[in-house]
Amino acid sequence: MGYSKKICDNVRQKLYEMRVKSCEELERKKKLFFSRFPEACEIEKKLALIAIDSARSVLSGSNAKEELESLRKRSISLRNSLSKILKSVNLPEDYLELKHNCEKCKDEGFVDGVMCDCMKEIMKKESYGELNSISPLELSSFETFSLDYYPETSETGGHSPKDRMKLIFDFCKKYSENFSKKSPNLIMVGNPGLGKTHLSLAIASEIINRGYGVIYISAPNMVTKLEKEKFQNYGRDSEGSEKHFIDCDLLIIDDLGTEYSNAFSNSAVYNIVNSRIMMAKPTIISTNLTMKELEKNYSPRMVSRIIGNNIRLEFLGLDIRQKKLKNSLNQ
Ligand SMILES: [Zn+2]
């Protein structure tokens, strides 16, 4: 799954820390136990020597079978003695063995080259963390989205903003419930403060929860990141964020059009959006700009690429944040 490099690095570090902690915990238990039962410590030393002798015997080859059998018998007898000591103080047989959070992969994260479920779970949690840290809101969900702030009457006679938002809300909820790596692209268009960020974050949370790799980033942060990496890695063959933006299962670009626009940003954003379209990978874009304004900021080929390959969700009405603020002050 296309997680960002930062997430992968963090997860690797977390797994490493888990392994270190397990070793430290075992050392602590052994120290305590051996101080009370020094004979158990002697048994453990003997078992360690048997392990070395067994390895030596295998390598030497001569009479290995007989020697190994005798070592095995001695090892069983020593283990039985150790078990008796543990039993005498009501401790489990495996009390002096290394314990992992995940016994399947021993906290390595992989089993036979395949990512373990425990690592997938940690990846998801890390993605949440990254999502929270770059999002202007607390992690939003569909449950915390309220339609109460949208007007029930329409000024133009068509659908009221509330009815329209209900349709958009239901669409977004269904989109995340039925999400697959081949889901369609979405573009959320409308003035600031109408819930575009809230709904795109809610989609992101839901989809991360289902185990997909999601990157949620604002257009200005994305361009800054790409620009920085371009100069840092100049002349070096290194894989940067661009690859993750292209590879992840779902890319959400918030606030397209608010980034500082220049030839570099235009071609960087176009390349990512276009590559994902070519690979039929879903992207969600939200923007405060109209299509005409977008055309002014970007090349016509970029805008036609976006328009031609997205389901457009139009957010209408006035900034509901003011209404929310007023309500909270009156409470
Ligand atoms: Zn595991």
Side-chain angles (χ1 to χ4, degrees):
M1 255 177 231
Y3 287 102
S4 70
K5 185 177 180 298
K6 192 177 147 203
I7 288 179
C8 293
D9 289 347
N10 286 351
V11 171
R12 264 195 288 269
Q13 179 64 23
K14 277 210 166 126
L15 287 168
Y16 170 74
E17 282 165 14
M18 277 182 197
R19 295 195 296 270
V20 170
K21 211 173 152 199
S22 300
C23 290
E24 286 172 352
E25 173 61 11
L26 181 61
E27 282 313 306
R28 187 193 63 79
K29 275 171 25 184
K30 276 185 177 175
K31 214 173 157 188
L32 205 71
F33 187 72
F34 291 158
S35 68
R36 196 170 153 200
F37 299 99
E39 65 271 35
C41 183
E42 286 310 309
I43 292 176
E44 208 196 46
K45 278 182 194 160
K46 283 178 189 162
L47 280 168
L49 284 176
I50 287 178
I52 296 170
D53 285 347
S54 301
R56 222 178 260 153
S57 172
V58 169
L59 290 172
S60 74
S62 60
N63 284 334
K65 210 173 166 190
E66 275 174 39
E67 206 175 330
L68 280 172
E69 186 54 26
S70 121
L71 288 168
R72 196 182 66 86
K73 280 183 183 157
R74 266 182 61 205
S75 165
I76 291 173
S77 137
L78 286 166
R79 279 183 197 284
N80 284 340
S81 311
L82 192 60
S83 289
K84 271 183 199 155
I85 301 172
L86 288 163
K87 233 180 186 171
S88 70
V89 275
N90 283 331
L91 285 171
E93 252 178 70
D94 62 355
Y95 182 72
L96 296 174
E97 283 169 25
L98 194 58
K99 304 266 183 343
H100 301 94
N101 292 282
C102 174
E103 291 302 338
K104 210 166 129 194
C105 70
K106 312 236 175 294
D107 297 336
E108 291 288 342
F110 287 89
V111 182
D112 299 331
V114 178
M115 196 191 281
C116 185
D117 288 342
C118 74
M119 187 164 173
K120 284 184 193 164
E121 202 53 41
I122 307 172
M123 287 279 206
K124 265 197 314 192
K125 284 184 186 148
E126 277 298 305
S127 294
Y128 268 131
E130 191 171 81
L131 205 60
N132 266 328
S133 68
I134 56 171
S135 140
L137 300 169
E138 285 292 294
L139 195 60
S140 305
S141 67
F142 287 110
E143 285 71 36
T144 56
F145 189 88
S146 171
L147 288 165
D148 295 344
Y149 302 100
Y150 296 87
E152 286 183 41
T153 49
S154 162
E155 286 173 10
T156 53
H159 277 301
S160 73
K162 192 174 188 169
D163 288 344
R164 185 179 271 273
M165 269 319 294
K166 172 88 176 77
L167 289 172
I168 292 179
F169 176 86
D170 290 344
F171 177 89
C172 291
K173 204 156 187 284
K174 252 202 183 102
Y175 180 90
S176 48
E177 282 163 8
N178 300 329
F179 182 82
S180 78
K181 290 181 183 179
K182 298 288 168 203
S183 280
N185 302 315
L186 305 181
I187 182 161
M188 299 181 173
V189 193
N191 290 330
L194 290 175
K196 298 192 296 295
T197 300
H198 190 132
L199 282 183
S200 48
L201 276 169
I203 292 175
S205 326
E206 192 80 29
I207 291 171
I208 287 170
N209 234 356
R210 293 184 46 210
Y212 289 100
V214 179
I215 297 180
Y216 181 102
I217 193 157
S218 72
N221 281 346
M222 185 162 114
V223 168
T224 310
K225 216 170 178 139
L226 292 169
E227 212 158 18
K228 209 165 133 191
E229 285 177 2
K230 187 182 161 67
F231 293 118
Q232 272 172 356
N233 301 329
Y234 185 74
R236 273 187 280 163
D237 188 19
S238 90
E239 265 185 14
S241 302
E242 188 187 26
K243 190 181 182 310
H244 300 299
F245 292 141
I246 293 173
D247 283 349
C248 62
D249 297 326
L250 173 67
L251 174 68
I252 303 181
I253 309 173
D254 197 20
D255 261 346
L256 184 74
T258 53
E259 71 280 13
Y260 178 68
S261 171
N262 57 28
F264 171 79
S265 65
N266 279 359
S267 89
V269 175
Y270 177 81
N271 185 36
I272 288 163
V273 171
N274 191 47
S275 301
R276 293 185 63 86
I277 290 172
M278 303 282 277
M279 291 189 284
K281 279 173 178 275
T283 306
I284 297 177
I285 293 172
S286 86
T287 181
N288 302 332
L289 303 182
T290 62
M291 289 302 126
K292 273 199 178 140
E293 286 167 333
L294 270 181
E295 262 174 28
K296 259 191 228 166
N297 279 25
Y298 298 96
S299 64
R301 95 181 153 146
M302 158 110 169
V303 180
S304 84
R305 208 69 181 114
I306 292 178
I307 295 172
N309 290 280
N310 277 288
I311 294 176
R312 197 195 306 189
L313 303 176
E314 297 223 26
F315 289 61
L316 295 178
L318 297 168
D319 194 335
I320 60 156
R321 288 175 299 194
Q322 296 299 324
K323 221 172 173 184
K324 269 187 181 175
L325 185 67
K326 240 186 200 168
N327 278 14
S328 68
L329 290 174
N330 288 337
Q331 267 168 8

